[in-house]
Amino acid sequence: MRTGLIAQKVGMTRLFTATGDHVPVTVLKVDNCQVVAVRRVDTDGYTALQLGVGSVKAKNVSKAERERFAKANVLPKRKLVEFRVSEEALLDVGTEISAEHFLPGQFVDVTGTTIGKGFAGGMKRHNFGGLRATHGVSVSHRSLGSTGQRQDPGKTFKNKKMAGHMGVVRVTTQNLKIVSTDAERGLILVQGAVPGHDGGFVTLKDAVKRKAPENVPFPAAVRSAHVPAVIEDAVVENDVVADVAEEKGE
């Protein structure tokens, strides 16, 4: 079992195939994804890799965290995520993983935090049908309806679907297809939508319900030495990200 990747959602755009069909894709950016810590069975009781992406000012990191990053000989990271891996898939601390960790055509599971919708009613939050549009119903067309029983049991059961805060929950979208990758610019293009807002972080892992291609890099696709270790700000101005801005009307 290989490690996953941490990526930042840039936005959505579309690509055109050779036949003229357009494919909606989400652009994800892998910003200097490095191994920060290694968990082993003899010391921690399980095997895993802790990855970090992005950069943050040292003054905004606690002293304990600074010492931890210094021990690993990596710059302070903005986002940390731990991935369970098999023992043969462990990597050395400081190893940088490339966007080519996933192959075009491969299916992945993407996990992120959904966009917050605020306080929502039952029809929007749980897809309730609402009350009738006429025949005596007034004002309460979008109400929940009955929420409990009669004198017995005389209460509303826990976990009853009602109006409340919607969004900001951890969601995994399975079996999304990798359209293409760009290791030079650290970009991964995934077909379809992924959970979360633009600029939010998501994790990508090999799909659990689909068989991975035979030629996937194992234990990981390590970034080549000739590729710059840090993605420059000019990456934001690349063609793909520019298309995202154009789609937003910016």
Side-chain angles (χ1 to χ4, degrees):
M1 183 170 61
R2 320 189 296 160
T3 180
L5 271 183
I6 313 171
Q8 189 173 23
K9 182 177 177 180
V10 177
M12 291 195 69
T13 183
R14 59 180 178 171
L15 299 178
F16 288 91
T17 64
T19 59
D21 298 327
H22 84 275
V23 180
V25 296
T26 301
V27 182
L28 304 176
K29 184 174 74 170
V30 181
D31 184 9
N32 195 22
C33 185
Q34 287 183 288
V35 179
V36 177
V38 180
R39 312 298 185 197
R40 303 181 186 276
V41 175
D42 53 350
T43 57
D44 304 286
Y46 65 101
T47 55
L49 291 175
Q50 188 180 79
L51 304 184
V53 295
S55 59
V56 63
K57 293 182 179 179
K59 69 175 184 177
N60 295 331
V61 180
S62 65
K63 184 177 180 181
E65 287 294 309
R66 286 200 301 268
E67 292 177 356
R68 206 175 110 197
F69 287 119
K71 183 178 179 181
N73 197 24
V74 296
L75 295 175
K77 298 296 183 179
R78 183 179 175 188
K79 179 72 173 180
L80 294 174
V81 176
E82 191 169 285
F83 294 93
R84 290 291 188 100
V85 298
S86 56
E87 192 169 356
E88 60 271 14
L90 292 175
L91 300 170
D92 295 331
V93 174
T95 302
E96 183 179 356
I97 302 178
S98 169
E100 291 179 328
H101 185 69
F102 299 109
L103 302 178
Q106 179 183 355
F107 290 90
V108 296
D109 295 340
V110 183
T111 302
T113 302
T114 60
I115 298 175
K117 303 293 184 179
F119 190 94
M123 294 183 68
K124 180 175 181 180
R125 191 184 187 201
H126 300 296
N127 199 30
F128 284 180
L131 303 188
R132 303 180 73 175
T134 181
H135 290 283
V137 178
S138 60
V139 181
S140 305
H141 304 289
R142 298 180 63 89
S143 67
L144 298 177
S146 176
T147 60
Q149 295 76 31
R150 301 179 71 178
Q151 185 173 353
D152 182 23
K155 65 177 181 180
T156 299
F157 290 126
K158 290 183 179 179
N159 301 320
K160 169 64 181 174
K161 292 181 179 179
M162 302 177 70
H165 187 271
M166 182 179 177
V168 195
V169 292
R170 180 181 170 91
V171 171
T172 298
T173 304
Q174 295 183 318
N175 301 328
L176 293 180
K177 188 176 181 180
I178 300 292
V179 177
S180 65
T181 60
D182 189 337
E184 186 72 24
R185 297 183 289 185
L187 298 177
I188 300 177
L189 273 62
V190 180
Q191 183 173 351
V194 304
H197 58 81
D198 294 349
F201 288 97
V202 297
T203 61
L204 293 84
K205 294 188 294 185
D206 296 334
V208 296
K209 295 181 179 178
R210 295 291 189 102
K211 186 177 180 181
E214 297 292 340
N215 56 341
V216 292
F218 189 87
V222 179
R223 196 176 179 90
S224 303
H226 69 276
V227 179
V230 180
I231 301 178
E232 301 293 340
D233 293 338
V235 172
V236 182
E237 300 176 1
N238 65 67
D239 297 336
V240 177
V241 180
D243 291 341
V244 177
E246 184 177 353
E247 291 285 342
K248 297 177 182 179
E250 297 177 355

